[in-house]
Amino acid sequence: GLLIAWRQTKEAEARRLRTARLETDLADAQLRALQDQLRPHFLFNTLNAISAYIEPEPKTARDMMAHLGDLLRLSLTAQQEHTLDAELGALSHYLQIEQLRFADRLHVQLDIEDRTRPAVVPSFLLQPLVENALRHGIHTQRHGGTVCIRSSASEGVLQLTIEDDGGGLPAGWSLDTDAGIGLGNTQRRLQRLYGEAHRFTVEPAAPKGTRVVVELPFRLSVTPNRA
């Protein structure tokens, strides 16, 4: 009886390890898919913008190329998770490119609590959410607008908010049925990484615009990538 119980315990542990490996493989595959999505989509748009600046504003074109190179290097070497501070560093290259493209039409506000900077977040979590805010919220407005990125922590929960003051969500819009590639990929990735321990919402902002809220477990230790 003891031998049978020991064997069953070992088999259960082996099943748990296999399940954990499969979940890690899936999360890694989703990160690679996100990187593949970022490179061609963002690369083509930025190269087109650079080509338009080469002759009239060569310095702007050079600055955009420098930030693009840094962003692509980070995307190629990204781990599944890193600190919020590292995430903001990667995001800054994207925002610098967009601010060069849209000049005074784009305003960015950062409201980051210092104690959240070492918190662990999925790599390239913010970039597609900010890109979505710019594309659907700010770029459609004649005079541009503002995107605000905030972080806070309370009772073991890290909260990240991306809010724009653009045109807002269409009537009847739903995350489950109307999300595009960026929001849809983010929703699925967070579900795989955190399950029920996260919250991801897209809602109207007041007095106008759209607010995206991500809530994750607040932790300070990055899980290393498997060899």
Side-chain angles (χ1 to χ4, degrees), residues 82-109:
H82 58 187
T83 65
L84 176 60
D85 202 42
E87 178 71 3
L88 293 169
L91 180 65
S92 68
H93 293 295
Y94 169 76
L95 289 173
Q96 288 289 340
I97 292 172
E98 293 297 280
Q99 288 181 310
L100 287 168
R101 288 176 62 192
F102 296 97
D104 57 359
R105 291 185 60 228
L106 171 61
H107 304 280
V108 178
Q109 296 179 354

Short mmCIF file of all heavy atoms in Angstrom, two decimals, residues 82-109:
data_model
loop_
_atom_site.label_atom_id
_atom_site.label_comp_id
_atom_site.label_asym_id
_atom_site.label_seq_id
_atom_site.Cartn_x
_atom_site.Cartn_y
_atom_site.Cartn_z
N HIS A 82 9.80 40.95 -17.24
CA HIS A 82 10.89 41.79 -16.72
C HIS A 82 10.26 42.85 -15.82
O HIS A 82 9.06 42.82 -15.55
CB HIS A 82 11.72 42.39 -17.86
CG HIS A 82 10.94 43.23 -18.83
ND1 HIS A 82 11.49 43.74 -19.99
CD2 HIS A 82 9.65 43.67 -18.84
CE1 HIS A 82 10.60 44.45 -20.64
NE2 HIS A 82 9.48 44.42 -19.97
N THR A 83 11.06 43.78 -15.34
CA THR A 83 10.54 44.78 -14.41
C THR A 83 9.75 45.85 -15.16
O THR A 83 9.96 46.08 -16.37
CB THR A 83 11.68 45.46 -13.63
OG1 THR A 83 12.49 46.21 -14.55
CG2 THR A 83 12.52 44.43 -12.90
N LEU A 84 8.89 46.53 -14.43
CA LEU A 84 8.16 47.64 -15.03
C LEU A 84 9.12 48.73 -15.50
O LEU A 84 8.89 49.36 -16.53
CB LEU A 84 7.17 48.21 -14.01
CG LEU A 84 6.38 49.45 -14.45
CD1 LEU A 84 5.55 49.16 -15.70
CD2 LEU A 84 5.50 49.95 -13.31
N ASP A 85 10.21 48.93 -14.77
CA ASP A 85 11.19 49.93 -15.18
C ASP A 85 11.78 49.58 -16.55
O ASP A 85 11.93 50.46 -17.40
CB ASP A 85 12.30 50.02 -14.13
CG ASP A 85 13.03 51.34 -14.20
OD1 ASP A 85 12.38 52.40 -14.37
OD2 ASP A 85 14.27 51.33 -14.10
N ALA A 86 12.09 48.29 -16.76
CA ALA A 86 12.60 47.86 -18.07
C ALA A 86 11.52 48.01 -19.14
O ALA A 86 11.81 48.39 -20.28
CB ALA A 86 13.07 46.41 -17.99
N GLU A 87 10.29 47.73 -18.78
CA GLU A 87 9.17 47.88 -19.72
C GLU A 87 9.01 49.34 -20.14
O GLU A 87 8.80 49.64 -21.33
CB GLU A 87 7.88 47.36 -19.08
CG GLU A 87 6.64 47.51 -19.93
CD GLU A 87 6.61 46.56 -21.12
OE1 GLU A 87 7.54 45.73 -21.26
OE2 GLU A 87 5.66 46.65 -21.91
N LEU A 88 9.13 50.25 -19.19
CA LEU A 88 9.02 51.67 -19.51
C LEU A 88 10.19 52.13 -20.38
O LEU A 88 10.02 53.00 -21.25
CB LEU A 88 8.95 52.50 -18.23
CG LEU A 88 7.69 52.31 -17.38
CD1 LEU A 88 7.86 52.97 -16.02
CD2 LEU A 88 6.47 52.88 -18.10
N GLY A 89 11.37 51.54 -20.16
CA GLY A 89 12.50 51.86 -20.99
C GLY A 89 12.28 51.46 -22.44
O GLY A 89 12.59 52.23 -23.37
N ALA A 90 11.74 50.26 -22.65
CA ALA A 90 11.43 49.82 -24.01
C ALA A 90 10.34 50.69 -24.62
O ALA A 90 10.42 51.07 -25.80
CB ALA A 90 11.01 48.35 -23.99
N LEU A 91 9.33 51.01 -23.83
CA LEU A 91 8.23 51.83 -24.33
C LEU A 91 8.71 53.21 -24.74
O LEU A 91 8.17 53.82 -25.68
CB LEU A 91 7.15 51.95 -23.25
CG LEU A 91 5.92 52.78 -23.61
CD1 LEU A 91 5.13 52.12 -24.74
CD2 LEU A 91 5.03 52.98 -22.38
N SER A 92 9.73 53.73 -24.06
CA SER A 92 10.20 55.08 -24.36
C SER A 92 10.70 55.20 -25.80
O SER A 92 10.53 56.25 -26.43
CB SER A 92 11.30 55.50 -23.38
OG SER A 92 12.48 54.74 -23.60
N HIS A 93 11.30 54.13 -26.33
CA HIS A 93 11.78 54.17 -27.72
C HIS A 93 10.59 54.28 -28.68
O HIS A 93 10.64 55.03 -29.66
CB HIS A 93 12.61 52.93 -28.03
CG HIS A 93 13.90 52.87 -27.27
ND1 HIS A 93 14.90 53.79 -27.45
CD2 HIS A 93 14.34 52.01 -26.31
CE1 HIS A 93 15.92 53.49 -26.65
NE2 HIS A 93 15.59 52.43 -25.95
N TYR A 94 9.55 53.51 -28.40
CA TYR A 94 8.35 53.59 -29.24
C TYR A 94 7.74 55.00 -29.17
O TYR A 94 7.39 55.58 -30.20
CB TYR A 94 7.33 52.55 -28.79
CG TYR A 94 5.98 52.74 -29.42
CD1 TYR A 94 5.74 52.37 -30.73
CD2 TYR A 94 4.93 53.33 -28.69
CE1 TYR A 94 4.51 52.57 -31.33
CE2 TYR A 94 3.70 53.52 -29.28
CZ TYR A 94 3.49 53.14 -30.59
OH TYR A 94 2.27 53.36 -31.17
N LEU A 95 7.63 55.54 -27.96
CA LEU A 95 7.02 56.86 -27.81
C LEU A 95 7.86 57.95 -28.46
O LEU A 95 7.32 58.91 -29.02
CB LEU A 95 6.82 57.16 -26.32
CG LEU A 95 5.72 56.35 -25.63
CD1 LEU A 95 5.73 56.61 -24.13
CD2 LEU A 95 4.35 56.67 -26.22
N GLN A 96 9.18 57.82 -28.39
CA GLN A 96 10.04 58.81 -29.04
C GLN A 96 9.81 58.81 -30.55
O GLN A 96 9.76 59.88 -31.17
CB GLN A 96 11.51 58.51 -28.74
CG GLN A 96 11.94 58.81 -27.32
CD GLN A 96 12.01 60.29 -27.03
OE1 GLN A 96 12.09 61.11 -27.94
NE2 GLN A 96 11.98 60.66 -25.77
N ILE A 97 9.65 57.64 -31.14
CA ILE A 97 9.37 57.55 -32.57
C ILE A 97 8.04 58.21 -32.89
O ILE A 97 7.92 59.01 -33.83
CB ILE A 97 9.37 56.08 -33.03
CG1 ILE A 97 10.79 55.50 -32.95
CG2 ILE A 97 8.84 55.95 -34.46
CD1 ILE A 97 10.85 54.01 -33.18
N GLU A 98 7.02 57.92 -32.10
CA GLU A 98 5.70 58.48 -32.36
C GLU A 98 5.68 59.99 -32.15
O GLU A 98 5.02 60.73 -32.90
CB GLU A 98 4.66 57.81 -31.45
CG GLU A 98 4.42 56.35 -31.77
CD GLU A 98 3.86 56.16 -33.17
OE1 GLU A 98 2.65 56.35 -33.36
OE2 GLU A 98 4.64 55.82 -34.08
N GLN A 99 6.41 60.47 -31.16
CA GLN A 99 6.44 61.92 -30.93
C GLN A 99 7.21 62.64 -32.04
O GLN A 99 6.89 63.78 -32.38
CB GLN A 99 7.04 62.21 -29.56
CG GLN A 99 6.09 61.85 -28.42
CD GLN A 99 6.63 62.15 -27.05
OE1 GLN A 99 7.75 61.79 -26.71
NE2 GLN A 99 5.83 62.83 -26.23
N LEU A 100 8.22 61.98 -32.62
CA LEU A 100 8.90 62.56 -33.77
C LEU A 100 7.97 62.61 -34.98
O LEU A 100 8.00 63.56 -35.76
CB LEU A 100 10.16 61.76 -34.10
CG LEU A 100 11.34 61.92 -33.13
CD1 LEU A 100 12.40 60.87 -33.40
CD2 LEU A 100 11.93 63.32 -33.26
N ARG A 101 7.14 61.58 -35.10
CA ARG A 101 6.22 61.53 -36.25
C ARG A 101 5.11 62.56 -36.13
O ARG A 101 4.73 63.20 -37.12
CB ARG A 101 5.60 60.13 -36.37
CG ARG A 101 6.55 59.03 -36.84
CD ARG A 101 5.86 57.69 -36.84
NE ARG A 101 4.73 57.65 -37.76
CZ ARG A 101 3.83 56.66 -37.77
NH1 ARG A 101 3.90 55.68 -36.91
NH2 ARG A 101 2.84 56.69 -38.64
N PHE A 102 4.57 62.74 -34.95
CA PHE A 102 3.37 63.56 -34.78
C PHE A 102 3.61 64.86 -34.04
O PHE A 102 2.66 65.61 -33.80
CB PHE A 102 2.29 62.72 -34.11
CG PHE A 102 1.86 61.56 -34.95
CD1 PHE A 102 2.40 60.30 -34.75
CD2 PHE A 102 0.95 61.73 -35.98
CE1 PHE A 102 2.02 59.23 -35.54
CE2 PHE A 102 0.57 60.66 -36.78
CZ PHE A 102 1.11 59.41 -36.56
N ALA A 103 4.86 65.12 -33.65
CA ALA A 103 5.27 66.40 -33.10
C ALA A 103 4.32 66.87 -32.00
O ALA A 103 4.03 66.13 -31.07
CB ALA A 103 5.37 67.43 -34.22
N ASP A 104 3.81 68.09 -32.13
CA ASP A 104 3.01 68.67 -31.05
C ASP A 104 1.57 68.16 -31.00
O ASP A 104 0.78 68.60 -30.18
CB ASP A 104 3.00 70.20 -31.14
CG ASP A 104 2.48 70.70 -32.49
OD1 ASP A 104 2.14 69.86 -33.35
OD2 ASP A 104 2.42 71.93 -32.68
N ARG A 105 1.22 67.20 -31.88
CA ARG A 105 -0.12 66.61 -31.81
C ARG A 105 -0.20 65.54 -30.73
O ARG A 105 -1.30 65.13 -30.35
CB ARG A 105 -0.51 66.00 -33.16
CG ARG A 105 -0.74 67.01 -34.27
CD ARG A 105 -1.23 66.30 -35.53
NE ARG A 105 -2.47 65.60 -35.29
CZ ARG A 105 -2.70 64.33 -35.66
NH1 ARG A 105 -1.76 63.62 -36.26
NH2 ARG A 105 -3.87 63.77 -35.42
N LEU A 106 0.94 65.05 -30.25
CA LEU A 106 0.94 63.97 -29.27
C LEU A 106 1.59 64.44 -27.97
O LEU A 106 2.72 64.94 -27.97
CB LEU A 106 1.70 62.76 -29.82
CG LEU A 106 1.96 61.62 -28.82
CD1 LEU A 106 0.64 61.05 -28.30
CD2 LEU A 106 2.80 60.52 -29.47
N HIS A 107 0.86 64.26 -26.87
CA HIS A 107 1.38 64.57 -25.54
C HIS A 107 1.31 63.30 -24.69
O HIS A 107 0.29 62.59 -24.70
CB HIS A 107 0.57 65.68 -24.89
CG HIS A 107 0.51 66.93 -25.71
ND1 HIS A 107 1.52 67.86 -25.75
CD2 HIS A 107 -0.46 67.38 -26.56
CE1 HIS A 107 1.19 68.84 -26.56
NE2 HIS A 107 0.00 68.58 -27.07
N VAL A 108 2.39 63.02 -23.98
CA VAL A 108 2.46 61.82 -23.15
C VAL A 108 2.70 62.23 -21.70
O VAL A 108 3.59 63.05 -21.42
CB VAL A 108 3.58 60.88 -23.62
CG1 VAL A 108 3.67 59.66 -22.70
CG2 VAL A 108 3.35 60.45 -25.06
N GLN A 109 1.91 61.69 -20.79
CA GLN A 109 2.07 61.93 -19.36
C GLN A 109 2.37 60.61 -18.66
O GLN A 109 1.67 59.61 -18.89
CB GLN A 109 0.81 62.56 -18.76
CG GLN A 109 0.47 63.92 -19.30
CD GLN A 109 -0.81 64.48 -18.71
OE1 GLN A 109 -1.52 63.80 -17.97
NE2 GLN A 109 -1.11 65.74 -19.01
#
